Amino acid sequence: MATVETAMGPADTASLGFTLSHEHVCIGFSGSSVIPEFLDRDATLERAVRDLTDAKRGGVDTIVDVAPYDQARDVRLQAEVSRRSGVNIVVSTGTWLDVPHLFEYVPIDRIADFYAREITEGIDGTGIKAGIIKCASDRGGVTPGQERVLRAAARASMRTSTPIMTHTWAPERIGEQQADVFEDEGVEPDRVCIGHSNDTTDLGYLTGLLRRGFWLGMDRHRESGLMGPTWRERAVVLKQLIDAGWGHRIMIGHDWHSTMGLFSPEARTAQDEENPDRWLFITRQLLPMLRSLGASEDDIRKLTIENPRRYFEGRS
């Protein structure tokens, strides 16, 4: 049977169940996870346990936590949250937007070695292994440093058969630039999910990536606090893609987190007021709207259960 590495060890892909494809137990910037003054680890732990216990009761079985080392990843915290909440947490290697200057001077294969080690040997001496590779590009396009990360991610993916999830900026069609790099490296498109793709309603852009063989992460769903289309507009685009025959190549998530300390208490309260459903917004709001638009239970099962399983199994 196929397995995927999680914070609690390898899990049978058939046991992943209802999966949110792009989330964060904790989110931050490079260094924030090791400076106590900036991130309240204990408060984050307790909040994440509470939030994910609620999510588990609401039917969520797995989250893919795509925070690598420069996005406040803490694998010990992830393991404790998983153990106490009962939710599987897939851990990430890779690099977010904070590409270190070091990566400008070392061979790309050295960066790939680092990612591969976190996949095959474990992270920070814990034995906890990454089950996904994260890389990122944003407004203005793929920078030279980010291109090196994309290439390293592709090489590590091919070495280890580990899938890739990207952060991108869809309004500027940055996913196409990422796809060009991945294709140039020779990685199979069905091992790559272009994330944050529902930040745009441009169906030509979205279907173009799908036709090239890539997965789409329609993974920013919540009440507010997001730039671009409203969540209802995002739901309509998602249903249009399903109607066009692409429901088998899409995964969904919130891009939500339980971090405490990096934000002021007022900012944290504002986020919660904007999204009181937290990791259950998709269950409570998006899925009922999709049903009202005519989505079938089979469509919904693909988005939430079957597609994430096939993605981790490497099946088109």
Side-chain angles (χ1 to χ4, degrees):
M1 293 184 181
T3 60
V4 59
E5 292 291 342
T6 76
M8 297 298 289
D12 186 339
T13 53
S15 71
L16 294 178
F18 188 110
T19 300
L20 300 173
S21 67
H22 194 122
E23 310 295 344
H24 304 276
V25 170
C26 185
I27 192 171
F29 301 97
S30 184
S32 56
S33 61
V34 296
I35 304 175
E37 290 82 1
F38 288 99
L39 196 153
D40 191 331
R41 186 183 188 279
D42 291 340
T44 295
L45 172 63
E46 294 307 316
R47 179 190 168 88
V49 169
R50 183 199 73 190
D51 289 352
L52 281 173
T53 299
D54 289 345
K56 179 68 174 179
R57 291 176 183 142
V60 174
D61 299 302
T62 300
I63 67 167
V64 184
D65 186 338
V66 286
Y69 69 90
D70 64 331
Q71 209 174 7
R73 181 189 66 190
D74 183 333
V75 294
R76 293 174 179 85
L77 183 147
Q78 290 166 313
E80 182 67 7
V81 170
S82 180
R83 183 186 68 79
R84 290 171 57 183
S85 69
V87 174
N88 299 313
I89 299 176
V90 179
V91 175
S92 175
T93 188
T95 303
W96 187 55
L97 293 172
D98 294 337
V99 180
H101 290 302
L102 169 66
F103 283 12
E104 298 175 14
Y105 300 101
V106 299
I108 292 172
D109 282 331
R110 287 280 301 279
I111 307 170
D113 290 344
F114 163 50
Y115 299 158
R117 175 175 58 77
E118 294 202 323
I119 293 164
T120 61
E121 298 179 22
I123 298 167
D124 296 339
T126 63
I128 297 170
K129 299 176 182 178
I132 196 166
I133 304 169
K134 172 74 171 294
C135 46
S137 316
D138 211 283
R139 292 170 179 79
V142 176
T143 68
Q146 290 164 4
E147 180 180 340
R148 293 173 65 79
V149 165
L150 292 169
R151 293 187 182 280
R155 296 178 194 185
S157 173
M158 289 187 288
R159 285 190 214 169
T160 63
S161 298
T162 302
I164 297 169
M165 174 71 72
T166 77
H167 165 110
T168 190
W169 181 237
E172 294 180 12
R173 304 173 74 108
I174 305 305
E176 293 174 335
Q177 297 179 29
Q178 293 179 333
D180 290 343
V181 175
F182 290 133
E183 288 176 342
D184 187 60
E185 284 292 326
V187 67
E188 291 295 330
D190 65 2
R191 301 306 282 150
V192 180
C193 182
I194 306 296
H196 302 333
S197 291
N198 63 339
D199 283 343
T200 184
T201 59
D202 184 346
L203 287 170
Y205 165 71
L206 298 173
T207 57
L209 288 169
L210 289 163
R211 290 193 183 97
R212 291 169 73 172
F214 293 92
W215 290 85
L216 288 188
M218 308 294 276
D219 48 34
R220 277 181 166 164
H221 290 289
R222 50 187 193 253
E223 181 62 44
S224 60
L226 294 173
M227 295 173 286
T230 68
W231 76 266
R232 290 178 176 84
E233 291 169 334
R234 294 168 194 250
V236 169
V237 171
L238 180 52
K239 180 58 166 55
Q240 290 172 327
L241 290 171
I242 292 170
D243 291 344
W246 293 110
H248 65 297
R249 301 293 291 175
I250 296 168
M251 294 182 289
I252 58 177
H254 301 93
D255 197 21
W256 187 246
H257 64 90
S258 289
T259 312
M260 300 291 286
L262 288 179
F263 310 95
S264 68
E266 294 79 13
R268 179 76 256 185
T269 298
Q271 290 181 52
D272 292 340
E273 289 175 348
E274 290 169 352
N275 180 30
D277 294 309
R278 301 185 178 96
W279 274 304
L280 287 172
F281 180 86
I282 283 174
T283 299
R284 293 173 176 171
Q285 308 295 338
L286 176 66
L287 298 186
M289 183 168 180
L290 286 177
R291 292 184 180 102
S292 75
L293 293 171
S296 69
E297 292 308 309
D298 183 58
D299 292 330
I300 289 170
R301 181 175 176 83
K302 285 178 182 176
L303 296 174
T304 59
I305 298 175
E306 294 178 10
N307 293 354
R309 185 185 73 241
R310 289 173 41 246
Y311 170 69
F312 280 109
E313 291 173 350
R315 294 195 292 125
S316 301

